[in-house]
Amino acid sequence: MFDAKDPDASLAPPPRPTVKQAAKHLACASVAAARDGKRDVAVVRSASGQLYVVDDICPHDGGRLADGYVEGERLICSRHNWE
């Protein structure tokens, strides 16, 4: 939320939902950013409906997996197509 007394407040990203909140309406073959406590995670629902929660950091180059996409049962990083 913007706070006129704090000019840097508008630069902060909005808070992430919890895993439960993110998963509640997540469609099949989708990914969403969430948090597990203080940890940033990606919540993934595969094409078959299976739900996964993974760290939101691509092991290949450190990109955000929540910015990626789902093909079938695979989560694909949007930066370099790491699966």
Side-chain angles (χ1 to χ4, degrees), residues 23-56:
K24 187 174 182 178
H25 300 291
L26 191 62
C28 289
S30 297
V31 60
R35 64 181 160 77
D36 182 18
K38 293 183 179 182
R39 189 177 73 162
D40 286 347
V41 295
V43 179
V44 181
R45 189 171 306 277
S46 69
S48 69
Q50 184 67 39
L51 190 68
Y52 299 94
V53 178
V54 298
D55 284 325
D56 193 18

Side-chain angles (χ1 to χ4, degrees), residues 1-81:
M1 182 182 326
F2 179 73
D3 180 356
K5 296 176 186 175
D6 183 1
D8 291 331
S10 63
L11 301 176
R16 288 175 173 232
T18 65
V19 170
K20 185 175 181 178
Q21 291 167 335
K24 187 174 182 178
H25 300 291
L26 191 62
C28 289
S30 297
V31 60
R35 64 181 160 77
D36 182 18
K38 293 183 179 182
R39 189 177 73 162
D40 286 347
V41 295
V43 179
V44 181
R45 189 171 306 277
S46 69
S48 69
Q50 184 67 39
L51 190 68
Y52 299 94
V53 178
V54 298
D55 284 325
D56 193 18
I57 299 293
C58 177
H60 172 239
D61 77 344
R64 295 278 182 191
L65 289 174
D67 292 337
Y69 57 97
V70 177
E71 272 189 5
E73 303 302 301
R74 301 172 300 162
L75 172 60
I76 301 171
C77 179
S78 64
R79 290 174 55 136
H80 294 107
N81 296 322

